[in-house]
Amino acid sequence: MQTPAPANPDYRNASFLTSASKLSQCPDDSGWEVAFAGRSNAGKSSAINSLTENTKLARTSKTPGRTQLINFFSLSEQQRLVDLPGYGFAKVPLAVKREWTRQLENYLQKRQSLRGLVLLMDVRHPLQTFDQQMLTWAITAGMPVHILLTKADKLKNGPARNTLLQVQKELRQHGDLVSVQLFSALKHSGHKELIAILNAWLTQPGMADGGNGSEEEGDEPEIGA
């Protein structure tokens, strides 16, 4: 019997749940979950903190790629936000980057409760190679993606809007599967549009049911091992 969909969460009630370095360490794979992903300098943790109005919730660091764990935040008994490690780590060995790529794919392909992916990109440098790779995976898997063009406060309104239109034009071929908006954690702007997307993903039944891959036997290697 399918679990009834929960009500819209109050993001101000978000609290740290647990961290995981591999799939087997993640919380029980049930309910509704939305993951935040992005390059190490895209402002991912700052965006989560701005959304939840809690500056200490998601760990931020001046050293990109320092945190290499999957961090889970509880919104309710059946709803979670997930902070994925920044990809494209700065100043880490290539072997670590490759290992995280495996762990990232493992989570994204096998996590049954994952309902959508929020992909963050610096508005001044959108659609980099790693961003394109994430989009390709999500689109192939039929996973809905909402792009946050972060640090919109770094540009004047005109250039920021032009970038938004350019990115929308480039991704138009993917239809309703991919959406895009401007966002500024510093100015706390873009919350209303983001919350509308999150509420849909975290409450609508049937989204991403069945997962994106099959479980494989055996233990996953540690990140950075």
Side-chain angles (χ1 to χ4, degrees):
M1 183 176 180
Q2 189 175 27
T3 303
N8 290 339
D10 184 346
Y11 298 93
R12 294 170 297 181
N13 290 337
S15 61
F16 175 75
L17 182 61
T18 190
S19 295
S21 63
K22 53 186 179 180
L23 192 65
S24 61
Q25 296 175 346
C26 293
D28 183 56
D29 195 0
S30 62
W32 288 257
E33 194 168 279
V34 173
F36 284 65
R39 287 181 58 83
S40 301
N41 57 355
K44 180 166 46 63
S45 296
S46 295
I48 293 174
N49 290 345
S50 177
L51 170 68
T52 59
E53 299 182 24
N54 184 345
T55 58
K56 297 180 180 180
L57 184 65
R59 180 181 179 183
T60 59
S61 173
K62 293 182 180 180
T63 304
R66 183 175 179 179
T67 301
Q68 297 176 32
L69 296 172
I70 303 172
N71 294 306
F72 293 83
F73 303 99
S74 175
L75 296 171
S76 72
E77 200 170 304
Q78 288 293 314
Q79 296 164 310
R80 297 172 297 276
L81 298 179
V82 185
D83 185 7
L84 299 177
Y87 50 83
F89 297 145
K91 299 180 181 179
V92 297
L94 182 60
V96 174
K97 294 183 181 182
R98 288 174 175 168
E99 180 58 37
W100 167 239
T101 297
R102 285 205 306 243
Q103 291 295 343
L104 182 64
E105 290 176 350
N106 207 26
Y107 168 81
L108 293 173
Q109 291 174 2
K110 297 179 181 179
R111 191 69 176 168
Q112 303 286 319
S113 53
L114 182 61
R115 306 298 164 128
L117 183 69
V118 177
L119 184 58
L120 295 91
M121 308 176 192
D122 189 322
V123 68
R124 299 165 296 179
H125 311 287
L127 297 174
Q128 298 293 304
T129 301
F130 284 107
D131 303 327
Q132 296 281 14
Q133 290 175 349
M134 289 291 290
L135 277 170
T136 297
W137 172 84
I139 291 163
T140 300
M143 175 68 62
V145 178
H146 185 60
I147 295 173
L148 295 187
L149 297 176
T150 62
K151 306 182 182 182
D153 54 278
K154 299 292 185 181
L155 297 178
K156 292 184 178 179
N157 186 59
R161 296 295 300 179
N162 286 338
T163 300
L164 173 63
L165 292 173
Q166 291 170 5
V167 174
Q168 287 175 330
K169 182 178 180 181
E170 185 160 346
L171 299 175
R172 192 172 297 155
Q173 59 182 310
H174 305 304
D176 294 336
L177 198 62
V178 181
S179 52
V180 191
Q181 71 163 98
L182 294 171
F183 189 89
S184 170
L186 182 65
K187 300 294 185 180
H188 301 291
S189 62
H191 287 189
K192 185 176 180 180
E193 190 173 351
L194 172 58
I195 287 173
I197 294 290
L198 294 178
N199 285 349
W201 289 349
L202 290 168
T203 62
Q204 292 179 5
M207 295 189 68
D209 282 346
N212 303 295
S214 56
E215 294 289 341
E216 295 179 1
E217 294 183 358
D219 200 23
E220 298 86 16
E222 296 281 351
I223 294 175

mmCIF file of all heavy atoms in Angstrom, residues 182-212:
data_model
loop_
_atom_site.group_PDB
_atom_site.id
_atom_site.type_symbol
_atom_site.label_atom_id
_atom_site.label_comp_id
_atom_site.label_asym_id
_atom_site.label_seq_id
_atom_site.Cartn_x
_atom_site.Cartn_y
_atom_site.Cartn_z
ATOM 1 N N LEU A 182 16.840 32.422 -11.339
ATOM 2 C CA LEU A 182 17.908 33.156 -10.678
ATOM 3 C C LEU A 182 17.751 33.004 -9.171
ATOM 4 O O LEU A 182 16.640 32.886 -8.653
ATOM 5 C CB LEU A 182 17.853 34.635 -11.060
ATOM 6 C CG LEU A 182 18.130 34.977 -12.528
ATOM 7 C CD1 LEU A 182 17.819 36.441 -12.792
ATOM 8 C CD2 LEU A 182 19.569 34.655 -12.908
ATOM 9 N N PHE A 183 18.877 33.021 -8.453
ATOM 10 C CA PHE A 183 18.829 32.841 -7.000
ATOM 11 C C PHE A 183 19.996 33.569 -6.357
ATOM 12 O O PHE A 183 21.111 33.577 -6.892
ATOM 13 C CB PHE A 183 18.904 31.354 -6.644
ATOM 14 C CG PHE A 183 18.660 31.051 -5.188
ATOM 15 C CD1 PHE A 183 17.378 30.813 -4.723
ATOM 16 C CD2 PHE A 183 19.719 31.005 -4.288
ATOM 17 C CE1 PHE A 183 17.147 30.531 -3.383
ATOM 18 C CE2 PHE A 183 19.503 30.724 -2.947
ATOM 19 C CZ PHE A 183 18.208 30.493 -2.488
ATOM 20 N N SER A 184 19.751 34.188 -5.217
ATOM 21 C CA SER A 184 20.814 34.829 -4.447
ATOM 22 C C SER A 184 20.649 34.492 -2.978
ATOM 23 O O SER A 184 19.664 34.898 -2.349
ATOM 24 C CB SER A 184 20.790 36.354 -4.630
ATOM 25 O OG SER A 184 21.665 36.984 -3.707
ATOM 26 N N ALA A 185 21.604 33.744 -2.428
ATOM 27 C CA ALA A 185 21.573 33.435 -0.997
ATOM 28 C C ALA A 185 21.854 34.692 -0.182
ATOM 29 O O ALA A 185 21.285 34.890 0.889
ATOM 30 C CB ALA A 185 22.606 32.352 -0.685
ATOM 31 N N LEU A 186 22.724 35.560 -0.694
ATOM 32 C CA LEU A 186 23.074 36.775 0.025
ATOM 33 C C LEU A 186 21.870 37.697 0.180
ATOM 34 O O LEU A 186 21.623 38.253 1.262
ATOM 35 C CB LEU A 186 24.206 37.508 -0.701
ATOM 36 C CG LEU A 186 24.710 38.792 -0.043
ATOM 37 C CD1 LEU A 186 25.364 38.483 1.299
ATOM 38 C CD2 LEU A 186 25.712 39.502 -0.963
ATOM 39 N N LYS A 187 21.100 37.838 -0.899
ATOM 40 C CA LYS A 187 19.937 38.726 -0.882
ATOM 41 C C LYS A 187 18.654 37.986 -0.496
ATOM 42 O O LYS A 187 17.581 38.591 -0.398
ATOM 43 C CB LYS A 187 19.750 39.365 -2.266
ATOM 44 C CG LYS A 187 20.932 40.204 -2.736
ATOM 45 C CD LYS A 187 21.132 41.433 -1.884
ATOM 46 C CE LYS A 187 22.250 42.316 -2.451
ATOM 47 N NZ LYS A 187 22.464 43.525 -1.627
ATOM 48 N N HIS A 188 18.759 36.674 -0.302
ATOM 49 C CA HIS A 188 17.595 35.839 0.023
ATOM 50 C C HIS A 188 16.482 36.008 -1.029
ATOM 51 O O HIS A 188 15.297 36.097 -0.698
ATOM 52 C CB HIS A 188 17.051 36.171 1.415
ATOM 53 C CG HIS A 188 18.065 35.986 2.501
ATOM 54 N ND1 HIS A 188 18.530 34.748 2.883
ATOM 55 C CD2 HIS A 188 18.727 36.888 3.270
ATOM 56 C CE1 HIS A 188 19.432 34.888 3.851
ATOM 57 N NE2 HIS A 188 19.569 36.171 4.095
ATOM 58 N N SER A 189 16.891 36.034 -2.290
ATOM 59 C CA SER A 189 15.927 36.185 -3.381
ATOM 60 C C SER A 189 15.810 34.888 -4.175
ATOM 61 O O SER A 189 16.783 34.148 -4.317
ATOM 62 C CB SER A 189 16.348 37.323 -4.315
ATOM 63 O OG SER A 189 17.601 37.058 -4.923
ATOM 64 N N GLY A 190 14.606 34.617 -4.669
ATOM 65 C CA GLY A 190 14.358 33.403 -5.441
ATOM 66 C C GLY A 190 13.724 32.297 -4.628
ATOM 67 O O GLY A 190 13.482 31.198 -5.142
ATOM 68 N N HIS A 191 13.420 32.557 -3.348
ATOM 69 C CA HIS A 191 12.841 31.527 -2.476
ATOM 70 C C HIS A 191 11.475 31.049 -2.960
ATOM 71 O O HIS A 191 11.191 29.854 -2.956
ATOM 72 C CB HIS A 191 12.703 32.051 -1.046
ATOM 73 C CG HIS A 191 14.009 32.158 -0.327
ATOM 74 N ND1 HIS A 191 14.104 32.433 1.019
ATOM 75 C CD2 HIS A 191 15.290 32.021 -0.761
ATOM 76 C CE1 HIS A 191 15.376 32.455 1.381
ATOM 77 N NE2 HIS A 191 16.112 32.220 0.321
ATOM 78 N N LYS A 192 10.619 31.975 -3.340
ATOM 79 C CA LYS A 192 9.242 31.619 -3.689
ATOM 80 C C LYS A 192 9.192 30.615 -4.836
ATOM 81 O O LYS A 192 8.475 29.608 -4.769
ATOM 82 C CB LYS A 192 8.459 32.880 -4.052
ATOM 83 C CG LYS A 192 6.983 32.633 -4.323
ATOM 84 C CD LYS A 192 6.243 33.944 -4.585
ATOM 85 C CE LYS A 192 4.765 33.696 -4.844
ATOM 86 N NZ LYS A 192 4.033 34.977 -5.102
ATOM 87 N N GLU A 193 9.974 30.860 -5.869
ATOM 88 C CA GLU A 193 9.992 29.958 -7.026
ATOM 89 C C GLU A 193 10.587 28.606 -6.660
ATOM 90 O O GLU A 193 10.079 27.551 -7.067
ATOM 91 C CB GLU A 193 10.795 30.610 -8.158
ATOM 92 C CG GLU A 193 10.683 29.892 -9.491
ATOM 93 C CD GLU A 193 11.351 30.652 -10.611
ATOM 94 O OE1 GLU A 193 11.761 31.808 -10.396
ATOM 95 O OE2 GLU A 193 11.465 30.084 -11.721
ATOM 96 N N LEU A 194 11.668 28.628 -5.884
ATOM 97 C CA LEU A 194 12.303 27.376 -5.467
ATOM 98 C C LEU A 194 11.367 26.556 -4.589
ATOM 99 O O LEU A 194 11.225 25.341 -4.777
ATOM 100 C CB LEU A 194 13.600 27.679 -4.712
ATOM 101 C CG LEU A 194 14.299 26.484 -4.049
ATOM 102 C CD1 LEU A 194 14.650 25.417 -5.075
ATOM 103 C CD2 LEU A 194 15.537 26.955 -3.289
ATOM 104 N N ILE A 195 10.706 27.191 -3.633
ATOM 105 C CA ILE A 195 9.806 26.478 -2.731
ATOM 106 C C ILE A 195 8.644 25.845 -3.483
ATOM 107 O O ILE A 195 8.201 24.733 -3.149
ATOM 108 C CB ILE A 195 9.301 27.431 -1.618
ATOM 109 C CG1 ILE A 195 10.439 27.702 -0.623
ATOM 110 C CG2 ILE A 195 8.093 26.844 -0.887
ATOM 111 C CD1 ILE A 195 10.108 28.747 0.425
ATOM 112 N N ALA A 196 8.149 26.512 -4.517
ATOM 113 C CA ALA A 196 7.061 25.940 -5.321
ATOM 114 C C ALA A 196 7.494 24.624 -5.960
ATOM 115 O O ALA A 196 6.738 23.640 -5.984
ATOM 116 C CB ALA A 196 6.610 26.933 -6.385
ATOM 117 N N ILE A 197 8.722 24.585 -6.460
ATOM 118 C CA ILE A 197 9.256 23.361 -7.064
ATOM 119 C C ILE A 197 9.445 22.282 -5.998
ATOM 120 O O ILE A 197 9.026 21.123 -6.164
ATOM 121 C CB ILE A 197 10.595 23.652 -7.764
ATOM 122 C CG1 ILE A 197 10.404 24.586 -8.963
ATOM 123 C CG2 ILE A 197 11.272 22.344 -8.196
ATOM 124 C CD1 ILE A 197 9.688 23.977 -10.137
ATOM 125 N N LEU A 198 10.064 22.649 -4.887
ATOM 126 C CA LEU A 198 10.314 21.676 -3.825
ATOM 127 C C LEU A 198 9.021 21.108 -3.268
ATOM 128 O O LEU A 198 8.917 19.895 -3.026
ATOM 129 C CB LEU A 198 11.120 22.334 -2.698
ATOM 130 C CG LEU A 198 12.549 22.767 -3.026
ATOM 131 C CD1 LEU A 198 13.179 23.447 -1.822
ATOM 132 C CD2 LEU A 198 13.394 21.586 -3.474
ATOM 133 N N ASN A 199 8.020 21.968 -3.064
ATOM 134 C CA ASN A 199 6.741 21.485 -2.540
ATOM 135 C C ASN A 199 6.111 20.452 -3.466
ATOM 136 O O ASN A 199 5.532 19.457 -3.010
ATOM 137 C CB ASN A 199 5.779 22.655 -2.331
ATOM 138 C CG ASN A 199 6.115 23.485 -1.110
ATOM 139 O OD1 ASN A 199 6.946 23.099 -0.294
ATOM 140 N ND2 ASN A 199 5.479 24.631 -0.977
ATOM 141 N N ALA A 200 6.207 20.679 -4.761
ATOM 142 C CA ALA A 200 5.651 19.723 -5.728
ATOM 143 C C ALA A 200 6.378 18.380 -5.630
ATOM 144 O O ALA A 200 5.756 17.316 -5.570
ATOM 145 C CB ALA A 200 5.752 20.284 -7.142
ATOM 146 N N TRP A 201 7.696 18.424 -5.582
ATOM 147 C CA TRP A 201 8.481 17.192 -5.526
ATOM 148 C C TRP A 201 8.309 16.452 -4.208
ATOM 149 O O TRP A 201 8.364 15.216 -4.174
ATOM 150 C CB TRP A 201 9.960 17.495 -5.747
ATOM 151 C CG TRP A 201 10.300 17.897 -7.149
ATOM 152 C CD1 TRP A 201 9.490 17.811 -8.251
ATOM 153 C CD2 TRP A 201 11.537 18.429 -7.607
ATOM 154 N NE1 TRP A 201 10.160 18.267 -9.357
ATOM 155 C CE2 TRP A 201 11.416 18.651 -8.998
ATOM 156 C CE3 TRP A 201 12.738 18.767 -6.980
ATOM 157 C CZ2 TRP A 201 12.449 19.178 -9.757
ATOM 158 C CZ3 TRP A 201 13.770 19.288 -7.740
ATOM 159 C CH2 TRP A 201 13.634 19.489 -9.115
ATOM 160 N N LEU A 202 8.149 17.194 -3.117
ATOM 161 C CA LEU A 202 8.112 16.587 -1.784
ATOM 162 C C LEU A 202 6.715 16.191 -1.317
ATOM 163 O O LEU A 202 6.551 15.703 -0.202
ATOM 164 C CB LEU A 202 8.742 17.541 -0.768
ATOM 165 C CG LEU A 202 10.260 17.722 -0.879
ATOM 166 C CD1 LEU A 202 10.733 18.898 -0.029
ATOM 167 C CD2 LEU A 202 10.994 16.447 -0.467
ATOM 168 N N THR A 203 5.714 16.419 -2.160
ATOM 169 C CA THR A 203 4.345 16.079 -1.745
ATOM 170 C C THR A 203 3.569 15.274 -2.776
ATOM 171 O O THR A 203 2.618 14.584 -2.416
ATOM 172 C CB THR A 203 3.528 17.349 -1.435
ATOM 173 O OG1 THR A 203 3.422 18.158 -2.617
ATOM 174 C CG2 THR A 203 4.180 18.168 -0.332
ATOM 175 N N GLN A 204 3.931 15.363 -4.037
ATOM 176 C CA GLN A 204 3.149 14.679 -5.059
ATOM 177 C C GLN A 204 3.468 13.190 -5.088
ATOM 178 O O GLN A 204 4.635 12.809 -5.177
ATOM 179 C CB GLN A 204 3.404 15.294 -6.439
ATOM 180 C CG GLN A 204 2.874 16.701 -6.580
ATOM 181 C CD GLN A 204 3.149 17.289 -7.943
ATOM 182 O OE1 GLN A 204 3.653 16.611 -8.826
ATOM 183 N NE2 GLN A 204 2.820 18.555 -8.121
ATOM 184 N N PRO A 205 2.461 12.336 -5.000
ATOM 185 C CA PRO A 205 2.708 10.887 -5.035
ATOM 186 C C PRO A 205 3.111 10.431 -6.425
ATOM 187 O O PRO A 205 2.739 11.040 -7.423
ATOM 188 C CB PRO A 205 1.350 10.291 -4.643
ATOM 189 C CG PRO A 205 0.355 11.320 -5.073
ATOM 190 C CD PRO A 205 1.028 12.654 -4.853
ATOM 191 N N GLY A 206 3.906 9.372 -6.456
ATOM 192 C CA GLY A 206 4.215 8.738 -7.737
ATOM 193 C C GLY A 206 5.417 9.286 -8.452
ATOM 194 O O GLY A 206 5.859 8.714 -9.432
ATOM 195 N N MET A 207 6.002 10.406 -7.984
ATOM 196 C CA MET A 207 7.157 10.964 -8.675
ATOM 197 C C MET A 207 8.383 10.129 -8.375
ATOM 198 O O MET A 207 8.727 9.872 -7.222
ATOM 199 C CB MET A 207 7.389 12.407 -8.253
ATOM 200 C CG MET A 207 6.268 13.348 -8.645
ATOM 201 S SD MET A 207 6.694 15.074 -8.352
ATOM 202 C CE MET A 207 7.972 15.312 -9.567
ATOM 203 N N ALA A 208 9.051 9.691 -9.438
ATOM 204 C CA ALA A 208 10.291 8.916 -9.334
ATOM 205 C C ALA A 208 10.095 7.583 -8.620
ATOM 206 O O ALA A 208 11.041 6.968 -8.171
ATOM 207 C CB ALA A 208 11.384 9.717 -8.624
ATOM 208 N N ASP A 209 8.853 7.111 -8.504
ATOM 209 C CA ASP A 209 8.636 5.820 -7.870
ATOM 210 C C ASP A 209 9.329 4.720 -8.658
ATOM 211 O O ASP A 209 9.330 4.708 -9.873
ATOM 212 C CB ASP A 209 7.131 5.503 -7.784
ATOM 213 C CG ASP A 209 6.463 6.254 -6.650
ATOM 214 O OD1 ASP A 209 7.191 6.780 -5.792
ATOM 215 O OD2 ASP A 209 5.220 6.312 -6.628
ATOM 216 N N GLY A 210 9.890 3.784 -7.944
ATOM 217 C CA GLY A 210 10.567 2.665 -8.606
ATOM 218 C C GLY A 210 12.046 2.882 -8.752
ATOM 219 O O GLY A 210 12.783 1.980 -9.097
ATOM 220 N N GLY A 211 12.536 4.114 -8.511
ATOM 221 C CA GLY A 211 13.965 4.360 -8.558
ATOM 222 C C GLY A 211 14.504 4.415 -9.964
ATOM 223 O O GLY A 211 13.791 4.358 -10.961
ATOM 224 N N ASN A 212 15.837 4.508 -10.068
ATOM 225 C CA ASN A 212 16.487 4.700 -11.356
ATOM 226 C C ASN A 212 17.494 3.607 -11.662
ATOM 227 O O ASN A 212 18.239 3.696 -12.626
ATOM 228 C CB ASN A 212 17.194 6.056 -11.355
ATOM 229 C CG ASN A 212 16.229 7.175 -11.055
ATOM 230 O OD1 ASN A 212 15.322 7.432 -11.825
ATOM 231 N ND2 ASN A 212 16.404 7.826 -9.918
#
